[in-house]
Amino acid sequence: MSAHEDVADLLPALIALRRDLHAHPELAFAEHRTAAIVAAALRELKLEVHEGLGGTGVVGLLRNGSGPSVGLRADMDALPMQEEGSGLPHASRHSGVHHGCGHDGHTAMLLGAARQLLRHRERFKGTVVFIFQPAEEGRGGAKAMVDAGLFERFPCDAVYALHNWPDLPLGQAQTRPGPIMAAADRFDITVRGRGGHAAQPQQTPDAILAASQLVTQLNTIVARRIAPDESAVLSVTRIEGGHSHNVLPAEVQITGTVRSFDPVAQDRIEAALRDCAAGVALGSGTEIAVSYTRYYPATINSAAEAELALAAAAEAGLQASLAPRPAFTSEDFAFMLRARPGAYLWLGQGHAGDSRPLHHPGYDFNDAALPLGIRWFVAVVRKALPA
Ligand SMILES: [Zn+2]
Ligand SMILES: [Zn+2]
């Protein structure tokens, strides 16, 4: 019975590994120690190991007879933030670097799955591609691996990943067909006047006033240009300009982010943002330059694989349900799902009475979720690669 699949004997070593990774977090594309630990663990299992894919990415291959192939992905990077208030013996030893998103747990779970699959090889037939990617946090490590030929070198009929999810109680899991995580765009706007004396406003376009008008207009885009039943968000997160009470600055900078699920809405928001900037520039006499970068696409599950992911969760003993709506955070597994069918699962890891979210300075991965994630990966493989 998979629901009671025994992985207990794997846990002490995996918990120790997970905490060691937590104590030694590494930033995007600098996961050298982590990648070396992963590669050594895969070699110890006698898997074929490929290192340095897309920077610090590692791929392990488990060939088990002829059959389809499935990719399982874990991310390895930590966040550029200080761990605070966790009070843990395995707290980060690297100042300003923190495993605040639980990728230490994802890495440990995927290594555990490799071990478990190997000792029950008779229960699946085909090839498992273990994908350990760098730089999930805003730097596009998944894209780097795809661009480096991940799926050409290691063909995958489908790819799967999970993320620990503090909003769901431990023991639950959710996903859905279609969008599960948002596309993430970034805009950087520079408003230029000439600058001048605060008491002689007639001599320069007022960059501060123009920027203020623009911020107000940007906040109308989602409300007025996007259909009410469609989801998107635009947030202005930084505005900077001026140094003194009696000088009109020459320049003001505005930065923010846009999250959406549908490329048509995404196009419309970008176009509206550019229109607003052009309109304010014309009305105010300023020059406004817009840089708009789409850094992560929406994470979109294919229907059959989302269904398989939920069935695997149920088989792994999880309380599996359809996610009622996608999340507005983003995920670079999106790049793998653009290249291959697949699905992304939210694995509950909430502690009762502890609401520390992902990216919180005191966040720590819940080790009680380790066996659940291992069982899910294993169940996915057995469903995708039936014996
Ligand atoms: Zn994160
Ligand atoms: Zn994450």
Side-chain angles (χ1 to χ4, degrees):
M1 279 290 292
S2 301
H4 305 287
E5 175 127 10
D6 192 10
V7 296
D9 62 312
L10 301 178
L11 295 180
L14 285 172
I15 290 171
L17 172 85
R18 204 287 294 175
R19 292 180 181 179
D20 175 71
L21 296 178
H22 191 94
H24 302 92
E26 295 175 302
L27 292 176
F29 293 120
E31 308 92 337
H32 300 290
R33 180 183 183 275
T34 309
I37 288 171
V38 165
L42 295 172
R43 272 197 198 97
E44 199 187 304
L45 297 175
K46 308 269 190 293
L47 298 189
E48 186 183 317
V49 179
H50 298 262
E51 292 174 84
L53 202 80
T56 40
V58 181
V59 171
L61 286 184
L62 168 49
R63 296 183 208 274
N64 196 42
S66 61
S69 54
V70 66
L72 306 176
R73 174 280 222 169
D75 37 14
M76 302 187 289
D77 59 319
L79 286 158
M81 63 184 289
Q82 187 67 32
E83 178 166 351
E84 271 167 22
S86 71
L88 296 165
H90 58 275
S92 173
R93 290 175 199 168
H94 299 169
S95 173
V97 190
H98 171 37
H99 261 303
C101 207
H103 300 180
D104 46 351
H106 302 165
T107 299
M109 286 190 279
L110 192 53
L111 287 173
R115 230 169 240 284
Q116 185 68 4
L117 284 164
L118 262 171
R119 60 183 187 180
H120 297 290
R121 298 180 78 128
E122 74 289 352
R123 296 189 59 184
F124 71 97
K125 209 165 164 224
T127 301
V128 186
V129 183
F130 298 96
I131 304 166
F132 293 87
Q133 74 147 86
E136 192 286 321
E137 297 288 358
R139 300 280 309 279
K143 182 173 190 298
M145 288 189 88
V146 171
D147 289 349
L150 173 67
F151 294 128
E152 287 74 35
R153 290 177 63 188
F154 313 105
C156 294
D157 294 310
V159 282
Y160 293 86
L162 61 72
H163 206 293
N164 75 93
W165 213 248
D167 292 345
L168 282 179
L170 187 72
Q172 292 191 17
Q174 288 187 342
T175 190
R176 67 201 300 277
I180 179 89
M181 306 286 280
D185 305 341
R186 169 191 177 136
F187 58 84
D188 294 276
I189 299 173
T190 305
V191 181
R192 286 192 196 93
R194 276 189 303 278
H197 201 291
Q200 298 173 310
Q202 75 279 12
Q203 292 190 347
T204 174
D206 187 341
I208 290 208
L209 181 56
S212 308
Q213 289 170 337
L214 183 53
V215 168
T216 308
Q217 286 197 19
L218 294 180
N219 277 285
T220 67
I221 290 176
V222 171
R224 301 288 91 189
R225 305 278 192 112
I226 298 299
D229 59 347
E230 180 130 22
S231 293
V233 62
L234 181 155
S235 288
V236 174
T237 55
R238 175 178 158 264
I239 178 162
E240 202 172 305
H243 299 284
S244 140
H245 80 284
N246 58 0
V247 177
L248 289 166
E251 190 175 296
V252 176
Q253 289 177 340
I254 301 168
T255 299
T257 189
V258 173
R259 306 294 167 109
S260 60
F261 300 103
D262 175 359
V264 174
Q266 192 179 19
D267 288 347
R268 191 172 304 152
I269 291 169
E270 179 180 347
L273 183 146
R274 292 184 184 280
D275 286 349
C276 288
V280 169
L282 188 67
S284 65
T286 56
E287 279 173 25
I288 303 185
V290 175
S291 156
Y292 193 98
T293 311
R294 302 179 181 206
Y295 64 94
Y296 283 177
T299 302
I300 300 177
N301 290 332
S302 46
E305 285 70 22
E307 199 177 309
L308 187 149
L310 280 176
E315 195 161 310
L318 289 154
Q319 200 182 319
S321 60
L322 208 59
R325 61 188 72 82
F328 273 98
T329 44
S330 62
E331 161 65 56
D332 83 342
F333 185 59
F335 289 107
M336 295 192 187
L337 287 184
R338 276 212 307 205
R340 288 294 179 275
Y344 180 81
L345 181 93
W346 295 337
L347 181 72
Q349 85 127 29
H351 306 252
D354 182 351
S355 59
R356 282 176 202 175
L358 299 171
H359 295 207
H360 185 281
Y363 165 91
D364 187 35
F365 177 82
N366 182 358
D367 286 323
L370 279 172
L372 308 177
I374 294 170
R375 288 193 194 113
W376 179 72
F377 277 129
V378 168
V380 164
V381 169
R382 290 178 186 158
K383 286 192 172 299
L385 312 179

mmCIF file of all heavy atoms in Angstrom, residues 62-88:
data_model
loop_
_atom_site.group_PDB
_atom_site.id
_atom_site.type_symbol
_atom_site.label_atom_id
_atom_site.label_comp_id
_atom_site.label_asym_id
_atom_site.label_seq_id
_atom_site.Cartn_x
_atom_site.Cartn_y
_atom_site.Cartn_z
ATOM 1 N N LEU A 62 17.834 7.907 -13.623
ATOM 2 C CA LEU A 62 17.563 6.540 -13.169
ATOM 3 C C LEU A 62 16.871 5.821 -14.324
ATOM 4 O O LEU A 62 15.702 6.071 -14.614
ATOM 5 C CB LEU A 62 16.661 6.594 -11.921
ATOM 6 C CG LEU A 62 16.017 5.283 -11.443
ATOM 7 C CD1 LEU A 62 17.015 4.146 -11.338
ATOM 8 C CD2 LEU A 62 15.350 5.503 -10.096
ATOM 9 N N ARG A 63 17.640 5.011 -15.021
ATOM 10 C CA ARG A 63 17.072 4.254 -16.161
ATOM 11 C C ARG A 63 16.629 2.906 -15.644
ATOM 12 O O ARG A 63 17.420 2.160 -15.073
ATOM 13 C CB ARG A 63 18.139 4.057 -17.227
ATOM 14 C CG ARG A 63 18.639 5.339 -17.848
ATOM 15 C CD ARG A 63 19.651 4.992 -18.942
ATOM 16 N NE ARG A 63 20.636 6.041 -19.139
ATOM 17 C CZ ARG A 63 20.451 7.084 -19.931
ATOM 18 N NH1 ARG A 63 19.329 7.225 -20.602
ATOM 19 N NH2 ARG A 63 21.400 7.998 -20.057
ATOM 20 N N ASN A 64 15.373 2.596 -15.867
ATOM 21 C CA ASN A 64 14.814 1.358 -15.317
ATOM 22 C C ASN A 64 13.955 0.678 -16.382
ATOM 23 O O ASN A 64 12.736 0.640 -16.285
ATOM 24 C CB ASN A 64 13.992 1.696 -14.069
ATOM 25 C CG ASN A 64 13.714 0.476 -13.220
ATOM 26 O OD1 ASN A 64 14.605 -0.352 -13.020
ATOM 27 N ND2 ASN A 64 12.496 0.357 -12.729
ATOM 28 N N GLY A 65 14.621 0.200 -17.412
ATOM 29 C CA GLY A 65 13.910 -0.493 -18.485
ATOM 30 C C GLY A 65 13.310 0.478 -19.480
ATOM 31 O O GLY A 65 13.376 1.695 -19.305
ATOM 32 N N SER A 66 12.710 -0.092 -20.526
ATOM 33 C CA SER A 66 12.148 0.774 -21.559
ATOM 34 C C SER A 66 10.773 1.227 -21.105
ATOM 35 O O SER A 66 10.038 0.490 -20.440
ATOM 36 C CB SER A 66 12.082 0.025 -22.886
ATOM 37 O OG SER A 66 11.249 -1.103 -22.719
ATOM 38 N N GLY A 67 10.454 2.462 -21.471
ATOM 39 C CA GLY A 67 9.180 3.029 -21.053
ATOM 40 C C GLY A 67 9.271 4.528 -21.188
ATOM 41 O O GLY A 67 10.281 5.052 -21.654
ATOM 42 N N PRO A 68 8.237 5.233 -20.792
ATOM 43 C CA PRO A 68 8.275 6.690 -20.870
ATOM 44 C C PRO A 68 9.272 7.275 -19.861
ATOM 45 O O PRO A 68 9.899 6.544 -19.090
ATOM 46 C CB PRO A 68 6.848 7.113 -20.548
ATOM 47 C CG PRO A 68 6.169 5.924 -19.974
ATOM 48 C CD PRO A 68 6.979 4.715 -20.255
ATOM 49 N N SER A 69 9.408 8.601 -19.914
ATOM 50 C CA SER A 69 10.326 9.240 -18.979
ATOM 51 C C SER A 69 9.600 10.369 -18.264
ATOM 52 O O SER A 69 8.702 11.011 -18.821
ATOM 53 C CB SER A 69 11.549 9.787 -19.718
ATOM 54 O OG SER A 69 11.116 10.634 -20.750
ATOM 55 N N VAL A 70 9.995 10.595 -17.023
ATOM 56 C CA VAL A 70 9.355 11.655 -16.252
ATOM 57 C C VAL A 70 10.438 12.462 -15.529
ATOM 58 O O VAL A 70 11.422 11.899 -15.048
ATOM 59 C CB VAL A 70 8.312 11.070 -15.261
ATOM 60 C CG1 VAL A 70 8.959 10.235 -14.179
ATOM 61 C CG2 VAL A 70 7.481 12.169 -14.635
ATOM 62 N N GLY A 71 10.273 13.786 -15.523
ATOM 63 C CA GLY A 71 11.201 14.674 -14.821
ATOM 64 C C GLY A 71 10.601 15.097 -13.482
ATOM 65 O O GLY A 71 9.409 15.398 -13.397
ATOM 66 N N LEU A 72 11.426 15.082 -12.440
ATOM 67 C CA LEU A 72 11.012 15.579 -11.120
ATOM 68 C C LEU A 72 11.967 16.692 -10.753
ATOM 69 O O LEU A 72 13.177 16.524 -10.810
ATOM 70 C CB LEU A 72 11.093 14.463 -10.072
ATOM 71 C CG LEU A 72 10.340 13.158 -10.366
ATOM 72 C CD1 LEU A 72 10.621 12.139 -9.259
ATOM 73 C CD2 LEU A 72 8.837 13.406 -10.492
ATOM 74 N N ARG A 73 11.447 17.820 -10.363
ATOM 75 C CA ARG A 73 12.316 18.978 -10.145
ATOM 76 C C ARG A 73 12.309 19.449 -8.698
ATOM 77 O O ARG A 73 11.249 19.511 -8.057
ATOM 78 C CB ARG A 73 11.867 20.092 -11.103
ATOM 79 C CG ARG A 73 12.566 21.401 -10.894
ATOM 80 C CD ARG A 73 11.925 22.142 -9.707
ATOM 81 N NE ARG A 73 11.756 23.534 -9.961
ATOM 82 C CZ ARG A 73 11.042 24.349 -9.201
ATOM 83 N NH1 ARG A 73 10.400 23.910 -8.148
ATOM 84 N NH2 ARG A 73 10.939 25.599 -9.495
ATOM 85 N N ALA A 74 13.498 19.766 -8.182
ATOM 86 C CA ALA A 74 13.624 20.463 -6.902
ATOM 87 C C ALA A 74 14.500 21.693 -7.124
ATOM 88 O O ALA A 74 15.416 21.664 -7.948
ATOM 89 C CB ALA A 74 14.262 19.551 -5.855
ATOM 90 N N ASP A 75 14.227 22.755 -6.391
ATOM 91 C CA ASP A 75 15.066 23.958 -6.471
ATOM 92 C C ASP A 75 16.006 23.976 -5.262
ATOM 93 O O ASP A 75 15.685 23.447 -4.199
ATOM 94 C CB ASP A 75 14.230 25.239 -6.570
ATOM 95 C CG ASP A 75 12.952 25.185 -5.732
ATOM 96 O OD1 ASP A 75 12.829 24.285 -4.868
ATOM 97 O OD2 ASP A 75 12.078 26.043 -5.938
ATOM 98 N N MET A 76 17.177 24.586 -5.434
ATOM 99 C CA MET A 76 18.235 24.473 -4.409
ATOM 100 C C MET A 76 18.618 25.798 -3.750
ATOM 101 O O MET A 76 19.367 25.800 -2.774
ATOM 102 C CB MET A 76 19.511 23.891 -5.040
ATOM 103 C CG MET A 76 19.358 22.537 -5.692
ATOM 104 S SD MET A 76 20.955 21.851 -6.208
ATOM 105 C CE MET A 76 21.367 22.930 -7.586
ATOM 106 N N ASP A 77 18.166 26.918 -4.293
ATOM 107 C CA ASP A 77 18.704 28.218 -3.840
ATOM 108 C C ASP A 77 17.986 28.769 -2.610
ATOM 109 O O ASP A 77 16.857 28.415 -2.299
ATOM 110 C CB ASP A 77 18.647 29.242 -4.980
ATOM 111 C CG ASP A 77 17.227 29.462 -5.495
ATOM 112 O OD1 ASP A 77 16.476 28.474 -5.638
ATOM 113 O OD2 ASP A 77 16.857 30.627 -5.753
ATOM 114 N N ALA A 78 18.691 29.679 -1.930
ATOM 115 C CA ALA A 78 18.147 30.384 -0.763
ATOM 116 C C ALA A 78 17.926 31.846 -1.129
ATOM 117 O O ALA A 78 18.204 32.275 -2.256
ATOM 118 C CB ALA A 78 19.108 30.255 0.417
ATOM 119 N N LEU A 79 17.448 32.608 -0.152
ATOM 120 C CA LEU A 79 17.077 34.012 -0.387
ATOM 121 C C LEU A 79 18.114 34.981 0.179
ATOM 122 O O LEU A 79 18.723 34.700 1.218
ATOM 123 C CB LEU A 79 15.739 34.304 0.292
ATOM 124 C CG LEU A 79 14.504 33.725 -0.388
ATOM 125 C CD1 LEU A 79 13.365 33.601 0.620
ATOM 126 C CD2 LEU A 79 14.086 34.614 -1.551
ATOM 127 N N PRO A 80 18.267 36.137 -0.468
ATOM 128 C CA PRO A 80 19.172 37.159 0.077
ATOM 129 C C PRO A 80 18.502 37.929 1.212
ATOM 130 O O PRO A 80 18.115 39.088 1.056
ATOM 131 C CB PRO A 80 19.453 38.062 -1.141
ATOM 132 C CG PRO A 80 18.244 37.909 -2.002
ATOM 133 C CD PRO A 80 17.687 36.523 -1.754
ATOM 134 N N MET A 81 18.321 37.285 2.340
ATOM 135 C CA MET A 81 17.710 37.938 3.503
ATOM 136 C C MET A 81 18.298 37.318 4.766
ATOM 137 O O MET A 81 18.820 36.214 4.759
ATOM 138 C CB MET A 81 16.183 37.747 3.483
ATOM 139 C CG MET A 81 15.738 36.294 3.585
ATOM 140 S SD MET A 81 13.931 36.083 3.432
ATOM 141 C CE MET A 81 13.399 36.776 5.005
ATOM 142 N N GLN A 82 18.192 38.080 5.858
ATOM 143 C CA GLN A 82 18.744 37.636 7.126
ATOM 144 C C GLN A 82 17.747 36.717 7.833
ATOM 145 O O GLN A 82 16.574 37.050 7.941
ATOM 146 C CB GLN A 82 19.038 38.885 7.987
ATOM 147 C CG GLN A 82 19.770 38.610 9.271
ATOM 148 C CD GLN A 82 21.197 38.111 9.041
ATOM 149 O OE1 GLN A 82 21.855 38.486 8.058
ATOM 150 N NE2 GLN A 82 21.671 37.256 9.922
ATOM 151 N N GLU A 83 18.213 35.576 8.292
ATOM 152 C CA GLU A 83 17.357 34.724 9.127
ATOM 153 C C GLU A 83 17.305 35.331 10.515
ATOM 154 O O GLU A 83 18.334 35.636 11.111
ATOM 155 C CB GLU A 83 17.905 33.292 9.188
ATOM 156 C CG GLU A 83 17.067 32.378 10.084
ATOM 157 C CD GLU A 83 17.380 30.890 9.906
ATOM 158 O OE1 GLU A 83 18.118 30.545 8.970
ATOM 159 O OE2 GLU A 83 16.876 30.096 10.710
ATOM 160 N N GLU A 84 16.082 35.516 11.020
ATOM 161 C CA GLU A 84 15.937 36.143 12.341
ATOM 162 C C GLU A 84 14.829 35.472 13.113
ATOM 163 O O GLU A 84 13.786 35.158 12.544
ATOM 164 C CB GLU A 84 15.570 37.630 12.182
ATOM 165 C CG GLU A 84 16.767 38.550 12.084
ATOM 166 C CD GLU A 84 16.366 39.939 11.607
ATOM 167 O OE1 GLU A 84 15.199 40.317 11.740
ATOM 168 O OE2 GLU A 84 17.252 40.627 11.078
ATOM 169 N N GLY A 85 15.071 35.294 14.377
ATOM 170 C CA GLY A 85 13.989 34.859 15.267
ATOM 171 C C GLY A 85 13.630 33.394 15.154
ATOM 172 O O GLY A 85 12.652 32.953 15.738
ATOM 173 N N SER A 86 14.381 32.620 14.383
ATOM 174 C CA SER A 86 14.039 31.202 14.303
ATOM 175 C C SER A 86 14.549 30.470 15.552
ATOM 176 O O SER A 86 13.947 29.504 16.005
ATOM 177 C CB SER A 86 14.616 30.566 13.035
ATOM 178 O OG SER A 86 16.016 30.449 13.120
ATOM 179 N N GLY A 87 15.676 30.947 16.094
ATOM 180 C CA GLY A 87 16.242 30.342 17.292
ATOM 181 C C GLY A 87 16.646 28.887 17.116
ATOM 182 O O GLY A 87 16.685 28.117 18.080
ATOM 183 N N LEU A 88 16.919 28.500 15.892
ATOM 184 C CA LEU A 88 17.177 27.087 15.614
ATOM 185 C C LEU A 88 18.655 26.758 15.727
ATOM 186 O O LEU A 88 19.505 27.571 15.385
ATOM 187 C CB LEU A 88 16.736 26.772 14.173
ATOM 188 C CG LEU A 88 15.250 26.928 13.886
ATOM 189 C CD1 LEU A 88 15.018 26.956 12.381
ATOM 190 C CD2 LEU A 88 14.467 25.804 14.536
#
